[in-house]
Amino acid sequence: MSRLKALVLSGLMLCLSGCSLGGPPFPYDSWYLGLFAPNYMEVWIETADAVDVKDRVFRRAMSGIAAINTPKELKGNPRGWPQEPGAGAGKHVLGADLPRLLYVRWQSLAEPQTYEAYIVISEATRKVMLVGEKAYCRADGKWITDYRKMLSVGLAPGGVARVWLMGPCLPALDVARVQGTVVKIGPDGGQSGGQYALPLKPESKAYIERYGIPYGSW
């Protein structure tokens, strides 16, 4: 049995147990939504909305600058995704049940282009979010029962969105990849006259001018 299937089975058993006991929808206060971009490929998030399993909409659960590294002297590598992505810049989605759908609209400042993507969070992923695992936290040197309660969304040029599920002390699981579409009216719903939110940082601009954008690597 694969690791993911085992986690899904454990999550189902926990869910059934919790339902029969009238317990909370999940064993933690809230889940986290974070977003990041590959090195130098800067992103401005117009909105990241969440819909939970009760069909409640949490608009602008996150907005603003996506997490990114821009190493000096062009020593960073934006190609592909990191083996262990970080949580990304984000917020806890307070008051939400488990997520069913994410909607992200973002400005890919590297191109520049505006994209949107609808990301379905599968039932299997939600079940994994209920599974507690023993984990060693290096930050404080303690063993804890940890949960994968963090959704990290990577946003890349060309409109690619990739999603990982992770815990503070648990490794990430790759759970979704979505191809977004171009927002034809442009940035800010067409209200900015085609102007993008921010200029590129000098390091990002220099990298793209020298090496271009590695489309197809994400």
Side-chain angles (χ1 to χ4, degrees):
M1 182 182 295
S2 71
R3 180 179 178 80
L4 182 59
K5 287 182 179 179
L7 288 170
V8 168
L9 181 58
S10 297
L12 179 59
M13 293 173 66
L14 181 58
C15 179
L16 292 174
S17 174
C19 291
S20 64
L21 296 174
F26 42 78
Y28 37 85
D29 293 335
S30 62
W31 52 272
Y32 179 89
L33 175 61
L35 301 101
F36 73 96
N39 291 0
Y40 307 111
M41 304 293 128
E42 295 180 49
V43 162
W44 175 265
I45 304 152
E46 293 188 355
T47 188
D49 305 337
V51 181
D52 72 7
V53 292
K54 295 179 180 176
D55 284 334
R56 295 176 298 179
V57 180
F58 295 80
R59 299 194 185 281
R60 293 178 71 83
M62 176 55 186
S63 61
I65 300 172
I68 190 169
N69 291 321
T70 53
K72 296 185 182 300
E73 300 180 6
L74 309 186
K75 292 183 177 180
N77 181 11
R79 298 184 65 86
W81 299 108
Q83 202 166 28
E84 282 294 333
K91 297 178 181 177
H92 290 272
V93 187
L94 300 173
D97 206 311
L98 293 175
R100 182 179 67 80
L101 179 71
L102 302 175
Y103 169 76
V104 186
R105 188 174 67 250
W106 74 98
Q107 298 176 18
S108 175
L109 303 176
E111 300 177 82
Q113 187 62 271
T114 305
Y115 297 100
E116 64 181 356
Y118 293 86
I119 304 167
V120 175
I121 305 301
S122 68
E123 184 179 1
T125 298
R126 290 194 296 273
K127 288 174 180 176
V128 172
M129 294 176 76
L130 298 172
V131 179
E133 291 188 68
K134 291 296 181 184
Y136 180 75
C137 286
R138 294 182 179 180
D140 55 14
K142 295 180 180 179
W143 284 91
I144 65 168
T145 299
D146 199 11
Y147 292 87
R148 287 186 171 85
K149 55 185 178 181
M150 305 163 73
L151 284 168
S152 180
V153 183
L155 300 171
V160 176
R162 196 78 176 244
V163 187
W164 290 264
L165 180 65
M166 66 188 74
C169 303
L170 287 172
L173 297 176
D174 186 349
V175 296
R177 183 186 186 279
V178 173
Q179 176 60 56
T181 57
V182 172
V183 178
K184 293 182 179 180
I185 58 176
D188 296 316
Q191 300 301 306
S192 67
Q195 294 296 310
Y196 284 80
L198 294 171
L200 285 172
K201 295 177 182 178
E203 295 86 355
S204 299
K205 187 173 185 294
Y207 184 95
I208 292 167
E209 286 178 348
R210 178 173 295 186
Y211 298 112
I213 296 173
Y215 291 108
S217 68
W218 300 293

